[in-house]
Amino acid sequence: MPQVKSNGITIEYESFGPEDRETILLVMGLGAQLTMWPVELCDELVSRGYRVIRYDNRDVGLSTKFDDLGMPDMTAIFGALMAGKPAQSPYALDEMAKDAVGLLDALGIKKAHIAGASMGGMIAQLVAINHPERALSLTSIMSTTGNPEVPQGKPEAMAVLMTPAPEGDIPAAIERGMLAWNTIGSPGYRTDEETLRQWVTRDVNRSLYPVGTARQMAAIVANGDRREKLKKLSLPAVVLHGADDPLVPVEGGRDTAANIPGAELREVPGMGHDFPLALVGTFADAIEAAAKRASAAKAAE
């Protein structure tokens, strides 16, 4: 896959479809590589007339790793927040939003439809907030606003999230990945064990870097509450969330939609916190709905 320089770092990305179409930029979540966006979803969006780009965030996959920043002090970060003080993370989610915009710059793309999942939804929100001239539309998937009053995930889901993959132990990392996805996956759309193991093995062999996930987690926690900034957005937005998400409960999606003017909320019964192939059409429909609203608004100008 190709790489470009973006915001002072190297970003690994993959592009689908003709370059002369409107672009959908897919932003992945915590510790997950670009490969977690199903190829089937990318192909589906291309079949609907778009160019699609997926990429590795900083500190994951084959993009730049911030080895010199070390392991974040999560105790200090949580302590600062509880004391009402600014939390210091190795880098900010806002910088990760700049990475996304820098990728668009490197590829000569002036504007794109931004779609993000989980942490990627937060980054997508920040692209729209901080760089409104670059975002045609926003699709926030299985994400939230940073509102501290939104319910937390189920204990077993949070435990999986906070337990890092073992450093350098490929077989153990694969088993940990299987446990994680089976814990947070969609109860109504289970991915069969053989397919899931293929996906997990692919990603562990591609890149195993748990400390990067920890630094991304620190960025999420330190970013805080985005609601007041979301209220100022003025672009077409669709919020897609699983009604049975055990990691980021559906209240996170509802809060996101409630704080983005004109946002459409789509709740999916049986959907958890993953990307089952049975829901490729559902993901594509949500992203396309936001994109079509943007096209309609542009035509009406």
Side-chain angles (χ1 to χ4, degrees):
M1 296 180 191
Q3 294 183 333
V4 295
K5 290 295 182 180
S6 164
N7 195 27
I9 65 173
T10 298
I11 293 289
E12 180 91 0
Y13 76 96
E14 187 173 15
S15 179
F16 300 79
E19 295 183 5
D20 60 351
R21 297 175 173 182
E22 286 190 345
T23 298
I24 295 170
L25 182 67
L26 300 176
V27 191
M28 186 35 70
L30 176 69
Q33 303 176 53
L34 63 81
T35 45
M36 281 306 301
W37 288 111
V39 169
E40 292 83 353
L41 173 60
C42 299
D43 289 341
E44 177 62 25
L45 291 168
V46 169
S47 76
R48 299 187 188 199
Y50 298 94
R51 179 188 185 186
V52 178
I53 295 171
R54 60 180 187 171
Y55 72 99
D56 286 328
N57 284 305
R58 60 170 62 198
D59 255 346
V60 73
L62 304 181
S63 290
T64 293
K65 310 291 200 309
F66 285 74
D67 296 315
D68 57 318
L69 297 180
M71 181 66 73
D73 187 344
M74 296 303 296
T75 300
I77 291 172
F78 281 114
L81 291 175
M82 292 179 66
K85 299 178 181 178
Q88 298 297 318
S89 56
Y91 47 75
L93 277 187
D94 298 83
E95 281 300 314
M96 299 182 78
K98 286 183 181 179
D99 295 344
V101 172
L103 173 58
L104 296 178
D105 287 340
L107 298 178
I109 300 168
K110 294 181 178 180
K111 297 184 177 184
H113 303 285
I114 314 298
S118 197
M119 179 191 73
M122 304 172 194
I123 295 170
Q125 292 168 23
L126 289 168
V127 171
I129 289 167
N130 298 337
H131 311 275
E133 73 284 356
R134 309 305 296 274
L136 290 168
S137 70
L138 169 65
T139 308
S140 183
I141 304 169
M142 61 183 84
S143 195
T144 188
T145 62
N147 178 357
E149 296 181 1
V150 168
Q152 298 295 304
K154 293 182 178 180
E156 60 271 24
M158 297 302 292
V160 166
L161 181 70
M162 300 305 292
T163 304
E167 185 77 51
D169 188 336
I170 297 295
I174 291 172
E175 294 311 312
R176 185 265 180 194
M178 292 293 294
L179 173 62
W181 290 112
N182 276 319
T183 300
I184 67 177
S186 298
Y189 301 92
R190 283 294 182 192
T191 299
D192 67 87
E193 288 293 301
E194 181 180 355
T195 299
L196 186 60
R197 185 169 292 276
Q198 289 175 354
W199 291 350
V200 171
T201 301
R202 170 201 66 198
D203 288 351
V204 168
N205 285 325
R206 184 172 183 264
S207 177
L208 177 60
Y209 193 64
V211 67
T213 302
R215 288 193 288 264
Q216 290 182 351
M217 173 61 76
I220 292 172
V221 174
N223 189 250
D225 193 337
R226 291 177 296 281
R227 283 179 295 171
E228 291 305 312
K229 294 177 181 178
L230 290 171
K231 290 176 182 177
K232 299 176 183 178
L233 291 180
S234 59
L235 80 171
V238 173
V239 177
L240 179 67
H241 214 107
D244 298 290
D245 191 326
L247 184 61
V248 181
V250 67
E251 288 85 355
R254 292 171 182 168
D255 196 51
T256 304
N259 284 283
I260 299 176
E264 176 190 353
L265 174 62
R266 299 186 175 198
E267 296 183 18
V268 184
M271 175 180 157
H273 204 82
D274 63 343
F275 300 89
L277 295 183
L279 291 178
V280 161
T282 300
F283 292 122
D285 287 346
I287 296 168
E288 185 184 36
K292 282 189 171 181
R293 282 176 55 194
S295 297
K298 183 178 180 181
E301 290 178 355

